[in-house]
Amino acid sequence: DGDSTTSFAEAMASGSSNPFHTGFIQGEAPKSKNVLEVPYKGKNLSGQALKDQVDEWVNYGTIEKSAGDAIKNCVDRPGYLDLSDRYFVLLGAGSAMGPFLVLMALGANVIAVDLDRAGIWKRLLTIAKKSSGTMTFPLKKPQSDIADDDDLHASSGCNLFTDTPRIRDWVIKLYPDKKLSVGSYAYLNGALHVQVSLAMDAICKDLSEKRQ
């Protein structure tokens, strides 16, 4: 009945009867060499040269000392730059403020949630294929039934407003033996941002309560 209404809590509690299929892309790039390089004035700074430059930035006030310490920590501990054993759920994966590009570059396993628009998924999937990481994402039909890249782009994605319980149910079942880090990055203007924030909060709440 299109005229019926229900509370948001009731809608989330009822779950979904039409689960998403799961898409998966393995990046084709070799694993990163795990060396932090920062481009600066035509050079790529790394190692001691980067640490010296960071000290100059801190002394001048360009960056806070805590930021400088964090950068030098990554220079001294290259293992920090290998995220191949970590799993990240990005609600609003394509957001300009989100960490998608960095996570893909560091070989992470990203579970990407974003709007079902082909242009968004063409960008995300192209980046994922060229990375050393993996990307898992919701599909409207089995990946084995996808004809080509255009079909894949058109069949990917979901809507945080209208698919909230469905997205929650899909993520809950993914990689049950892995620890997930979940970030909320979707952004909209005005009242819509309140609504999408509520949806993302509800997903995060249920994931934290229903997964180990």
Side-chain angles (χ1 to χ4, degrees), residues 2-212:
D3 295 326
S4 66
T5 61
T6 185
S7 73
F8 183 68
E10 288 170 339
M12 290 301 293
S14 66
S16 61
S17 58
N18 182 24
F20 284 113
H21 297 277
T22 299
F24 179 82
I25 291 289
Q26 172 71 60
E28 298 168 356
K31 199 170 178 180
S32 168
K33 57 185 177 179
N34 291 350
V35 175
L36 181 62
E37 294 182 329
V38 175
Y40 184 62
K41 291 187 175 179
K43 296 180 180 179
N44 281 335
L45 302 179
S46 62
Q48 190 59 47
L50 175 56
K51 291 168 73 174
D52 291 343
Q53 182 61 60
V54 166
D55 286 338
E56 288 187 28
W57 284 330
V58 170
N59 291 335
Y60 185 73
T62 305
I63 58 176
E64 297 283 348
K65 183 178 184 301
S66 59
D69 290 343
I71 295 170
K72 290 193 289 184
N73 217 7
C74 288
V75 174
D76 293 336
R77 295 171 173 80
Y80 284 3
L81 302 178
D82 178 9
L83 297 181
S84 58
D85 62 342
R86 299 288 299 275
Y87 287 73
F88 298 86
V89 180
L90 306 188
L91 304 177
S95 169
M97 293 295 287
F100 180 74
L101 289 173
V102 173
L103 292 177
M104 288 281 89
L106 298 180
N109 303 285
V110 169
I111 297 158
V113 173
D114 213 323
L115 200 57
D116 49 350
R117 290 180 182 166
I120 291 174
W121 290 96
K122 182 177 182 179
R123 172 180 173 263
L124 294 179
L125 287 160
T126 299
I127 292 167
K129 284 181 183 177
K130 293 178 179 178
S131 79
S132 59
T134 74
M135 189 170 79
T136 304
F137 51 100
L139 279 172
K140 294 180 172 66
K141 59 184 178 180
Q143 194 165 1
S144 57
D145 292 348
I146 300 288
D148 52 28
D149 282 349
D150 287 342
D151 190 15
L152 182 63
H153 303 154
S155 302
S156 301
C158 53
N159 189 316
L160 281 162
F161 288 104
T162 56
D163 295 325
T164 316
R166 198 176 172 201
I167 294 167
R168 183 265 324 274
D169 292 348
W170 175 71
V171 177
I172 278 178
K173 295 176 182 176
L174 290 174
Y175 308 111
D177 59 333
K178 302 296 184 184
K179 183 177 181 180
L180 303 182
S181 300
V182 188
S184 300
Y185 302 105
Y187 180 82
L188 292 164
N189 289 323
L192 289 176
H193 187 66
V194 178
Q195 291 176 253
V196 77
S197 296
L198 177 65
M200 292 188 294
D201 284 353
I203 292 169
C204 291
K205 175 179 180 292
D206 286 354
L207 286 177
S208 65
E209 291 177 355
K210 297 180 181 182
R211 284 182 66 104
Q212 292 297 315

